[in-house]
Amino acid sequence: MADENRKLAMVVFGGTVDKLYPAAIMASGAVMNDMDVDIFITFWGMMPFRKGAPYQLQSVSKDHEEMGAAMMRAMQEKKVPSWYDTLQQAKEIGNVHVHACAMTADLFGLGQDDFEPIVDDIIGVGEFIDMAASATTTMYLG
Amino acid sequence: MSDVQATKEIDARGSFCPGPMMELIRVVRSSEVGDVVAVLSNDQGSRRDIPTWVEKAKHELVGIETLDGYDRIVVKKLH
């Protein structure tokens, strides 16, 4: 049973491997602390959650592009679980919800069936902000 | 310490933060009250995170020992 007084709300805007790891790891940290987690995936942060996309994602941030290949290689060599497996594990253990941004979904013509099952629903910003308003911690991962 | 018998042992050596901690939570949850769970980890984050979690979750930290390049962290499930 999660601590009802503490909740993490997180906006995930970036959709590259290096930006999704922090989202997955922060969610895990919140679960360790017995906090519920609401993740709002929007714009590029939504794309890796499309069906079949999580394990295909290879791209890294443009501003550290030259280190991308080395990072991916190190992750593989050291058998670091993918950002997606890390997030799934957090969701298995804790109360983690992934909400897709309705505006972005409409923009790209995506419906619930276009996403991996880890995505709980498609919600509007109003609903997410209401969740964030009752959270004790809110993070924006750009 | 190495003579502390664990009901279950998790070998999380080679896993990175938050792997060992998450694995421990999973195993503790599915264990019986009174069970002793040992986790082997060479991750620096877990060495700090696990004792903090054990205290917050109100279980018992039986001990931490540093062995050959890794830690053996022993936890008893209290409730």
Side-chain angles (χ1 to χ4, degrees):
Chain A
M1 195 56 202
D3 182 340
E4 284 174 22
N5 298 314
R6 303 202 305 168
K7 187 172 84 170
L8 170 66
M10 186 157 55
V11 179
V12 177
F13 175 85
T16 51
V17 172
D18 53 332
K19 292 187 175 187
L20 288 158
Y21 262 109
I25 293 172
M26 294 298 156
S28 305
V31 166
M32 281 178 211
N33 281 284
D34 214 14
M35 294 165 77
D36 288 351
V37 183
D38 283 306
I39 302 174
F40 191 61
I41 50 171
T42 186
F43 270 84
W44 316 124
M46 175 185 286
M47 300 307 155
F49 288 88
R50 287 173 301 167
K51 262 191 188 142
Y55 295 110
Q56 282 176 3
L57 188 71
Q58 295 285 326
S59 60
V60 299
S61 311
K62 212 78 179 155
D63 48 355
H64 294 285
E65 205 171 22
E66 74 285 358
M67 291 180 71
M71 180 198 80
M72 295 300 277
R73 205 164 42 241
M75 295 253 184
Q76 229 161 28
E77 276 168 13
K78 296 186 173 173
K79 297 192 171 62
V80 179
S82 71
W83 65 271
Y84 192 67
D85 288 342
T86 305
L87 184 59
Q88 271 192 321
Q89 185 185 43
K91 193 173 165 115
E92 278 164 31
I93 295 175
N95 195 14
V96 177
H97 290 104
V98 179
H99 312 283
C101 161
M103 184 269 176
T104 313
D106 286 346
L107 185 65
F108 292 99
L110 300 169
Q112 183 73 44
D113 293 344
D114 296 310
F115 293 110
E116 289 285 341
I118 197 171
V119 176
D120 292 278
D121 48 17
I122 299 174
I123 65 170
V125 68
E127 197 174 334
F128 176 72
I129 292 298
D130 188 46
M131 292 172 181
S134 67
T136 40
T137 305
T138 299
M139 291 178 179
Y140 178 89
L141 305 187
Chain B
M1 253 296 292
S2 4
D3 54 355
V4 174
Q5 287 296 309
T7 319
K8 289 173 188 162
E9 189 158 276
I10 305 160
D11 189 351
R13 285 174 293 179
S15 298
F16 291 81
C17 169
M21 176 77 248
M22 298 301 271
E23 208 44 53
L24 176 67
I25 294 178
R26 192 200 298 274
V27 171
V28 167
R29 280 206 190 155
S30 65
S31 296
E32 304 291 326
V33 172
D35 280 359
V36 175
V37 181
V39 54
L40 312 184
S41 167
N42 54 357
D43 155 57
Q44 298 182 57
S46 303
R47 194 186 160 82
R48 296 175 69 101
D49 274 354
I50 291 176
T52 306
W53 175 79
V54 170
E55 195 187 330
K56 276 201 151 164
K58 299 187 168 60
H59 295 298
E60 182 192 333
L61 184 68
V62 179
I64 304 181
E65 59 182 331
T66 302
L67 300 164
D68 187 19
Y70 66 94
D71 301 312
R72 182 169 184 263
I73 306 169
V74 185
V75 177
K76 185 174 182 182
K77 177 169 172 154
L78 293 187
H79 57 89

